[in-house]
Amino acid sequence: MKNKPPTSPAIAASRRWLLGGIGALMPIVIAALSADFTTFFENPKTSVVMGWGIRSILLFIIGGFVVYLHRNLQDDWQCFVTGIAAPALITTAFAGKAGIYDPLQRVDPAAPTDASLLVPDAPRSPWFDRAARTFELASNPVHDQWLKKLAASVEIRNARDLEETFFQGFIRGFFGSNPLVAFVVLDGQVKEDDARLVAASIKLLNRCAEKGGVRDANLKKLAEKSAAFAQTDTVVISKRGREGPFVPLIMFADPVTASKYADILADVLTSKELIVARRSQVADEVRRKFEVWSGRRVDARTVTNQIGELVMPTCAPSA
């Protein structure tokens, strides 16, 4: 009768827990060696380190606990591999939080429409259209009233106000979530009232676009189909407090929407810029390029009139 080979003794519970916990931390180590490292530690702060540390502790506990329950494991390598697999679903969910949008997508062109159903082939010069729209705006004072109301609601901020909050930093460290933020930059203004006027005209344009009260078919389509369009935030950036110069920024939560919006404004404004940055980099990006933006200045009334040409005179946005 053959003797059975002796079986290896089971590994101690504390050793299983330690090996399982180390294995559970391997996804974080791999992330640190890959491009995801910049997502976590691109702009390290206390809140980011706290989030990353709590995530690591939770993964260690989960991995260690799962391996601890496997009392029949008799090999260190088995404990380690089991620890890697234990929190796999959780780490996969974390990785899914760091999705990146492609800011280079373009809006689908809208179907051409006839300018006139009665005389579709009648030639009309651009200056005639511009003069007609200016007359419509001048003959309807409703928009001027709305511009005054919206100008009073425009926020004056500086780069510090755009920095990542403590909660956002914690979420970045815990989930690896550092989304792209985009903003369209308009030329600077010397006076605060002029900058408020330009920003108010953008607010009026966007609110009318949501109600379908704009002339541009692509802008209507963007407002109708993009849920992120409603998250547009127009602010004025100053260097310190309320000291000039002042730069209007149109901020978007979705870079794709911002890119499409910038393309639409390109037909109206000759000078504007699209900036896409990680949320943790927005403040630094504004500081770095503020002097360039504020140095490019145009007449506020001219910009307001150009933007106003897209708004239908009958549009009365809600408060």
Side-chain angles (χ1 to χ4, degrees), residues 43-312:
N43 186 11
K45 299 178 180 178
T46 302
S47 58
V48 178
V49 176
M50 286 179 58
W52 184 84
I54 293 176
R55 172 185 177 176
S56 301
I57 293 173
L58 289 177
L59 290 178
F60 182 89
I61 293 175
I62 292 173
F65 179 72
V66 171
V67 177
Y68 166 78
L69 296 179
H70 286 70
R71 302 178 182 274
N72 59 341
L73 293 179
Q74 301 176 351
D75 182 79
D76 290 348
W77 175 251
Q78 291 180 349
C79 295
F80 179 77
V81 172
T82 304
I84 295 177
L89 294 178
I90 297 177
T91 54
T92 301
F94 288 168
K97 297 291 184 180
I100 299 176
Y101 293 104
D102 180 8
L104 301 180
Q105 297 183 26
R106 290 294 186 241
V107 65
D108 296 331
T113 57
D114 292 332
S116 173
L117 296 177
L118 297 177
V119 190
D121 297 326
R124 285 167 47 169
S125 59
W127 69 265
F128 179 83
D129 290 336
R130 183 178 293 272
R133 293 176 184 176
T134 302
F135 176 77
E136 289 177 350
L137 292 175
S139 62
N140 190 339
V142 174
H143 288 171
D144 286 338
Q145 297 175 6
W146 274 106
L147 286 178
K148 292 180 181 179
K149 292 181 180 181
L150 293 175
S153 67
V154 173
E155 297 185 32
I156 306 297
R157 304 180 184 176
N158 53 36
R160 179 176 296 180
D161 298 325
L162 303 179
E163 290 181 349
E164 188 179 50
T165 64
F166 183 90
F167 178 75
Q168 290 172 341
F170 181 87
I171 293 299
R172 175 157 65 94
F174 192 84
F175 289 105
S177 175
N178 192 12
L180 291 172
V181 178
F183 40 98
V184 179
V185 186
L186 304 185
D187 288 333
Q189 300 292 331
V190 177
K191 298 180 180 179
E192 178 182 336
D193 291 342
D194 290 341
R196 285 182 176 273
L197 182 63
V198 173
S201 66
I202 291 292
K203 282 179 173 285
L204 179 64
L205 174 65
N206 294 347
R207 292 193 181 187
C208 286
E210 292 175 355
K211 296 175 66 67
V214 292
R215 303 178 188 275
D216 189 275
N218 284 336
L219 186 56
K220 287 183 182 180
K221 181 179 178 181
L222 181 63
E224 292 173 356
K225 295 189 175 182
S226 176
F229 188 86
Q231 303 176 22
T232 305
D233 185 17
T234 305
V235 299
V236 171
I237 301 297
S238 64
K239 193 167 186 177
R240 293 184 302 272
R242 293 200 172 185
E243 298 181 10
F246 303 90
V247 178
L249 297 183
I250 313 167
M251 304 182 66
F252 292 83
D254 180 17
V256 176
T257 303
S259 177
K260 296 174 181 178
Y261 186 86
D263 287 344
I264 295 171
L265 283 190
D267 296 332
V268 181
L269 304 177
T270 57
S271 182
K272 56 108 185 84
E273 185 175 355
L274 172 66
I275 301 296
V276 179
R278 293 287 184 183
R279 185 169 58 193
S280 60
Q281 292 181 320
V282 169
D284 292 336
E285 185 69 16
V286 170
R287 292 189 186 98
R288 186 173 66 87
K289 303 198 67 174
F290 182 83
E291 297 299 332
V292 176
W293 298 334
S294 60
R296 299 195 305 256
R297 300 171 186 171
V298 295
D299 180 67
R301 178 56 65 177
T302 300
V303 176
T304 302
N305 290 338
Q306 290 174 339
I307 296 173
E309 291 175 4
L310 293 177
V311 180
M312 290 183 178

